[in-house]
Amino acid sequence: QKIWTSGANEADMIFILVRTDSNAPKRQQGISFVLAPMDSPGIRIAPIRQMTDESHFFETFFTDVRVPVANRVGNENEGWTIAKRLLAHERVGLGSAKLFRKSLARAISIARDTQIDGRPAIEDTDVRRDLARLSMKLDALSATDYRGLSQVLRGNMPGPESSIIKLFGSELFQNICEVGLELLGPAAQLWGDENLEDLEREWPKTSAGSRAYSIFSGTSEVQRNIISERVLGMPR
């Protein structure tokens, strides 16, 4: 059984990390990377209802599923190495500044459309400062994005910057959402109310969904451990 399978209802294949050597000296060894068609006999999925009222994640159940050895990716017992490389690329994509700039632009639109003390919120000193700080952090994230991209263009794997991008990007996205919620005020409690404008109606759901960013593809705690060991050289 596997939990938190993203988009399982749309996928044609699923990758599985399977134990192929139970006597391996380390738990990360003795694991192989295998692909299985989602229509294989014995594979069943069940949606997980999220706090956004959506079901992007699924549980996947395997009952006596058989997969040919030809579906193995890489060498036997070296699947963990492949999985780490896959995660590095995934983390770079999930923390991309380009994704979050659209959210900041939406937060700025909310600031223009809402009022504080009878004036547009965008004219408030504290609001402008918060939005400016978020914009500067996005610029810093973009610079780190380019570091990761440069590694890939040179034919190398993304290094520890993938964890920096994932950690900084996911928490920055949550910060952007929090600013938007504060600007909406009491209206932020109205989930999908049809009397609200499109942007105001969808923002609370976006904010709720942002909580998953610091969990999937390696939690923020995991990323901090990686950064502390591989960037700062701290002991385990």
Side-chain angles (χ1 to χ4, degrees), residues 39-227:
D39 59 0
S40 300
I43 293 183
R44 177 176 62 86
I45 63 173
I48 300 172
R49 185 181 179 187
Q50 299 157 229
M51 63 192 302
T52 57
D53 287 334
E54 299 167 334
S55 293
H56 176 67
F57 303 112
F58 291 76
E59 286 184 275
T60 309
F61 300 89
F62 304 87
T63 304
D64 298 327
V65 177
R66 298 185 66 84
V67 179
V69 70
N71 285 28
R72 187 188 67 216
V73 178
N75 297 324
E76 186 171 325
N77 299 327
E78 295 181 5
W80 187 247
T81 300
I82 298 173
K84 288 192 296 183
R85 292 178 177 178
L86 181 65
L87 272 173
H89 283 285
E90 182 179 1
R91 288 166 181 165
V92 169
L94 288 172
S96 171
K98 184 177 180 180
L99 295 175
F100 306 137
R101 285 198 187 279
K102 295 180 180 179
S103 296
L104 180 58
R106 293 172 67 200
I108 293 172
S109 295
I110 293 176
R112 290 195 176 104
D113 294 341
T114 56
Q115 292 192 343
I116 296 178
D117 297 330
R119 299 173 56 196
I122 194 71
E123 298 178 7
D124 183 84
T125 301
D126 292 334
V127 171
R128 294 175 69 87
R129 183 180 61 243
D130 288 342
L131 294 173
R133 284 176 176 172
L134 291 172
S135 181
M136 289 187 289
K137 287 183 177 180
L138 274 171
D139 289 341
L141 180 61
S142 291
T144 311
D145 285 343
Y146 287 127
R147 286 172 53 194
L149 177 60
S150 297
Q151 287 280 11
V152 174
L153 291 176
R154 295 190 185 103
N156 301 320
M157 284 294 302
E161 65 271 6
S162 64
S163 289
I164 298 173
I165 291 169
K166 169 60 169 58
L167 172 66
F168 194 69
S170 59
E171 297 190 354
L172 177 56
F173 180 38
Q174 293 171 354
N175 293 155
I176 293 172
C177 289
E178 288 167 2
V179 168
L181 289 177
E182 290 178 2
L183 289 169
L184 288 176
Q189 303 177 66
L190 302 178
W191 190 276
D193 193 300
E194 295 182 357
N195 293 316
L196 298 174
E197 296 292 335
D198 290 344
L199 181 57
E200 297 173 340
R201 182 170 61 249
E202 292 298 322
W203 193 262
K205 180 179 286 190
T206 298
S207 300
S210 74
R211 308 315 303 173
Y213 273 72
S214 50
I215 300 173
F216 56 49
S217 297
T219 65
S220 291
E221 290 76 12
V222 168
Q223 306 314 313
R224 285 187 169 90
N225 282 338
I226 293 173
I227 294 167

